[in-house]
Amino acid sequence: MPQLGETVTEGTVTKWMKAVGDTVARDEPLFEVSTDKVDSEVPSPAAGVLTEILVPEGDTVEVGVVLAVIADEAGAASAAPAAAPEAPATAPEPAPTPPPAPTPPPAAPATPAPAQTPTPTPAASSGAAEPLVLSPVVRKLLSENSINANEVTGTGVGGRITREDVLKVVDSRHVGAPSPAPSAPAPSSALAPAAAPPSAPAPTAASTAPTSFRSAGEQIVPFSNMRRRTAEHMVRSKSTSPHAFIAYEVDFENVERVRKAWGQKFKTEEGFSLTYLPFIARASVEALRDFPLLNSSVVDDSLVVHADVNLGIAVDLSHEGLIVPVIHRADEVTLRGVARRIRDLADRARNRQLNADDIAGGTFSITNDGPFGTYFTVPIINQPQVAILATDGIARRPVVVTQDDGSESIAIHSTGILGVSWDHRAVDGAYVSSFLARISELLAGRDWSTEL
């Protein structure tokens, strides 16, 4: 399993493009993988014959786990016969005689016997090949939730059980738990007749706790793979960095004038509109030159200040999750170039066309809620970075302006809020405030038309 991003620790194999026995060329797409960051095709690292697939579709494994074996033509020929004995190797496992054990218990109300069946059943489940394809992740989920493999309908290749298959069973037990409810009272009444009426507390651990706070019509929506990974990353970020936040009101009137003057020409030439985001991104990159400690990472008790500004731009994936593709060496790109790259990365992110390089190496990030008309956003730091800038809605508002003669008057300008969440281990508030003031100064005073 490749490392697809600095913070990625595991991935889910979503599709194998080759089957066992197929010839594979070097760099030919071999499989698809999904992480909390990206869905990507992974090319074959070598040429040869695919002799073994160790991780089936739908299984999630940690980075570095061996997924498959590719051998040269000679190795594949010798591996083929070696693979044959493995199938019958499962014959001894279905043979264990513990299954007949349930026949003696009828004499005594030893209902614990059925409770023990989940342990041997994975080895003696319906197909002889099934125990061989249960990944460590699936086995762990089955064990933790006391689920018999026979209860799970596999949707993977050849009916194999995937992680999602097990999670569906777990979720179904929490929804109404129709089957556990009747079965739980039965043993409790047999073992403790006096407590038969109150036997309902027996299933409290799994069923009554969640259902007691739900009303009719509510439903449980299991987290998708991306949402689950995003949640893990956000929790990890909050537990890693002492978050602090500062906001700054910015006058965008200078930017607005440039957009009005160049907007139509830009759209004709580039094929998309000139928004506020490229200006904010460009000003942020310039400001980071003056405040480089915000373009860094905390490592142990030191701050690693990065030489290049690799700017991450958060992209919403139709409300299904977020991804942060990166403009590498953004400090070397003009305003027009930044606009092009933001557009390209956003389009490819929404079409699932990003590759591992597109999301790797970010040193500072921007999350852009402005198009939704927000007023005040407090973002969570994108680890292992130390700061993230949030943009909010820009609108026409009355402001106090100073005339050339020093007098003041009321004018209507485009204004908005920019905020920074930062890791308080890295810098203090005065440093971040100065950084935001520098961004404001650049947006309000630079002649941006020279970069268009």
Side-chain angles (χ1 to χ4, degrees):
M1 177 61 68
Q3 177 92 42
L4 301 176
E6 297 98 327
T7 60
V8 174
T9 59
E10 61 181 10
T12 301
V13 177
T14 55
K15 180 181 180 181
W16 282 102
M17 301 181 180
K18 295 288 184 177
V20 173
D22 287 352
T23 300
V24 183
R26 182 181 177 84
D27 294 330
E28 181 181 9
L30 182 59
F31 65 94
E32 290 181 355
V33 63
S34 174
T35 72
D36 60 332
K37 296 295 185 182
V38 67
D39 293 344
S40 180
E41 289 185 357
V42 178
S44 174
V49 176
L50 184 62
T51 60
E52 195 173 0
I53 292 178
L54 303 175
V55 177
E57 292 178 357
D59 275 10
T60 301
V61 295
E62 294 183 355
V63 168
V65 170
V66 178
L67 304 178
V69 177
I70 298 175
D72 56 24
E73 299 291 344
S78 61
E86 280 192 44
T90 59
E93 295 200 46
T97 47
T103 49
T111 44
Q116 292 177 341
T117 51
T119 306
T121 41
S125 52
S126 57
E130 190 172 28
L132 296 178
V133 297
L134 290 179
S135 70
V137 174
V138 170
R139 283 198 177 95
K140 183 179 179 183
L141 282 174
L142 291 171
S143 174
E144 289 177 347
N145 294 280
S146 301
I147 296 175
N148 187 333
N150 289 331
E151 301 175 24
V152 184
T153 301
T155 60
V157 178
R160 294 168 179 169
I161 297 174
T162 68
R163 181 187 189 189
E164 296 301 322
D165 295 333
V166 180
L167 291 174
K168 286 180 181 177
V169 174
V170 174
D171 293 334
S172 69
R173 287 186 170 184
H174 287 296
V175 173
S179 54
S183 60
S188 63
S189 60
L191 297 174
S199 62
T204 51
S207 55
T208 60
T211 57
S212 60
F213 296 100
R214 293 204 310 274
S215 60
E218 292 184 356
Q219 58 180 232
I220 292 178
V221 180
F223 280 170
S224 65
N225 182 52
M226 176 173 287
R227 175 53 52 198
R228 188 178 295 112
R229 306 291 176 73
T230 300
E232 292 170 354
H233 185 54
M234 293 299 97
V235 171
R236 185 163 59 249
S237 179
K238 293 291 282 187
S239 64
T240 299
S241 299
H243 281 58
F245 179 79
I246 287 181
Y248 204 97
E249 186 175 25
V250 177
D251 191 329
F252 284 90
E253 190 63 17
N254 177 50
V255 172
E256 185 63 26
R257 294 194 188 103
V258 175
R259 290 179 68 240
K260 286 182 177 178
W262 286 80
Q264 189 56 52
K265 186 175 188 293
F266 182 90
K267 187 171 184 178
T268 301
E269 293 173 349
E270 300 293 341
F272 59 91
S273 299
L274 181 61
T275 66
Y276 293 101
L277 182 56
F279 293 90
I280 297 170
R282 186 75 183 85
S284 299
V285 169
E286 284 291 309
L288 285 171
R289 290 179 175 175
D290 300 325
F291 299 90
L293 298 186
L294 291 175
N295 188 54
S296 64
S297 301
V298 174
V299 178
D300 297 326
D301 59 350
S302 301
L303 201 60
V304 178
V305 182
H306 304 295
D308 297 326
V309 177
N310 296 331
L311 185 64
I313 303 292
V315 177
D316 172 63
L317 302 178
S318 302
H319 305 311
E320 294 179 359
L322 288 175
I323 193 168
V324 188
V326 177
I327 302 174
H328 294 276
R329 304 182 74 167
D331 47 328
E332 300 177 0
V333 186
T334 65
L335 174 63
R336 184 182 289 264
V338 168
R340 287 172 178 166
R341 296 195 187 185
I342 290 175
R343 177 72 176 200
D344 171 63
L345 289 170
D347 285 347
R348 290 195 288 120
R350 295 185 179 110
N351 293 319
R352 309 287 185 178
Q353 294 175 341
L354 294 175
N355 57 48
D357 291 336
D358 290 328
I359 60 169
T363 59
F364 183 88
S365 292
I366 295 178
T367 181
N368 180 35
D369 287 331
F372 301 101
T374 56
Y375 182 76
F376 202 83
T377 301
V378 181
I380 297 177
I381 298 168
N382 186 21
Q383 297 293 329
Q385 300 164 26
V386 299
I388 180 171
L389 176 75
T391 73
D392 285 293
I394 296 169
R396 303 293 287 173
R397 298 183 178 94
V399 299
V400 177
V401 296
T402 303
Q403 306 297 337
D404 293 338
D405 61 0
S407 62
E408 295 179 338
S409 63
I410 301 295
I412 304 298
H413 282 194
S414 294
T415 67
I417 303 292
L418 296 181
V420 171
S421 289
W422 86 93
D423 187 331
H424 218 318
R425 297 175 300 172
V427 295
D428 296 321
Y431 192 88
V432 179
S433 299
S434 300
F435 169 70
L436 282 169
R438 177 58 178 154
I439 293 178
S440 177
E441 178 185 0
L442 289 167
L443 289 170
R446 171 169 284 194
D447 182 5
W448 293 105
S449 61
T450 59
E451 297 190 24
L452 291 172

